[in-house]
Amino acid sequence: MTSSETAETQTSPVKYKRVMLKISGEALMGDQGFGLHPPTVERIAREVKAVHDLGVEICMVIGGGNIFRGLSGSAQGMERTTADYMGMLATVMNALAMQSALEGLGVFTRVISAIRMDEVCEPYIRRRAVRHLEKKRVCIFAAGTGNPYFTTDTAGALRANEMACEAIFKGTKVDGVYDKDPHKFDDAKRYDTVSYDEALAKRLGVMDAAAIALARDNNLPIIVFSLDEPGGFRGILAGEGTYTKVYG
């Protein structure tokens, strides 16, 4: 990093000092239909590093749908609780992949699991996780809430509140919340802002209902943006870019 880049990092104003980044497991598979795509994982890791370089403390929750989705397994006849636990294990695999990519870029990272697996990652202890953030380590929370019947969206909202995050950043394939799928409808309307209650009433697909309600009850804004836009995550922290803010 040059001296001018260092100066920019030190002086760039950011609106939020501690954030939760929630992304789907599918975001890690690139153009593949399944699994992990290492170049895509590294690209996302670079986006996270760019925000980390601004001095922002970062939590992450990554879904597991690129490997196994509990609800789909249940729909195919598998017992729901077993399917959900398998989905939780998939999130741990994704978290470890992201940890490897981030540490390859020089960003100290901890994977923290709601299910104990001490040889692989740390157990979730709130005060220890907060201390990691204070030491500028990225904390990736894996295995959801540790309970079946809860999604990683809900886990993201829960951990964001427990970690006293100032916002949840939901990385998606589109640059905000639309009234219908913009990939299918040319007349889809993007919202600049939308209330929690409107997102719930219109089923806008921001996050699942439990996650939105948890954010609403704790006045935690949700920022929906495109993870595919280079520099988008960093740009929003610096007050630029296109996104939808869910609040109020």
Side-chain angles (χ1 to χ4, degrees):
M1 182 178 290
T2 66
S3 59
S4 61
E5 289 173 329
T6 301
E8 180 184 356
T9 295
Q10 292 173 345
T11 59
S12 295
V14 290
K15 186 171 183 180
Y16 303 107
K17 297 296 185 182
R18 181 180 294 175
V19 301
M20 166 64 71
L21 174 62
K22 169 64 177 70
I23 62 176
S24 67
E26 287 90 339
L28 303 185
M29 66 186 186
D31 294 330
Q32 303 175 153
F34 177 82
L36 290 159
H37 184 238
T40 299
V41 176
E42 183 174 350
R43 177 183 64 78
I44 295 173
R46 290 187 181 280
E47 296 285 330
V48 174
K49 181 182 185 299
V51 171
H52 185 265
D53 287 345
L54 294 176
V56 178
E57 297 171 0
I58 303 172
C59 304
M60 293 183 70
V61 168
I62 306 172
N66 57 317
I67 299 171
F68 187 88
R69 184 179 295 277
L71 190 57
S72 296
S74 177
Q76 294 176 17
M78 184 177 292
E79 193 271 322
R80 173 66 186 270
T81 302
T82 298
D84 280 357
Y85 278 122
M86 292 173 68
M88 291 178 212
L89 295 177
T91 71
V92 177
M93 296 171 68
N94 284 337
L96 291 172
M98 183 58 64
Q99 178 187 43
S100 178
L102 283 168
E103 293 193 336
L105 297 173
V107 180
F108 292 109
T109 308
R110 296 291 184 271
V111 173
I112 302 171
S113 172
I115 299 174
R116 292 192 72 101
M117 46 186 81
D118 295 347
E119 291 79 10
V120 176
C121 51
E122 294 185 12
Y124 176 68
I125 299 172
R126 189 185 69 83
R127 288 181 180 273
R128 181 186 293 176
V130 170
R131 186 61 178 146
H132 285 320
L133 291 172
E134 291 171 348
K135 291 182 177 180
K136 306 304 179 183
R137 297 165 181 161
V138 172
C139 289
I140 307 176
F141 297 100
T145 67
N147 305 103
Y149 295 93
F150 289 91
T151 69
T152 51
D153 276 352
T154 303
L158 174 65
R159 297 294 184 236
N161 280 298
E162 290 179 306
M163 295 297 105
C165 291
E166 297 170 3
I168 299 173
F169 279 73
K170 176 73 181 286
T172 70
K173 294 287 187 181
V174 293
D175 59 355
V177 178
Y178 286 77
D179 60 349
K180 48 189 154 184
D181 189 342
H183 291 141
K184 297 179 180 178
F185 301 94
D186 293 336
D187 61 342
K189 171 191 172 185
R190 187 182 64 81
Y191 296 91
D192 288 327
T193 62
V194 64
S195 71
Y196 300 116
D197 289 339
E198 187 177 5
L200 287 169
K202 294 184 177 179
R203 299 186 177 185
L204 294 176
V206 178
M207 301 177 87
D208 67 46
I212 296 174
L214 191 56
R216 178 193 62 193
D217 294 347
N218 293 277
N219 198 30
L220 183 65
I222 303 169
I223 310 296
V224 183
F225 72 105
S226 173
L227 197 64
D228 292 337
E229 180 68 26
F233 186 25
R234 185 186 188 280
I236 294 169
L237 265 295
E240 306 167 353
T242 304
Y243 57 90
T244 298
K245 182 176 181 180
V246 185
Y247 71 114

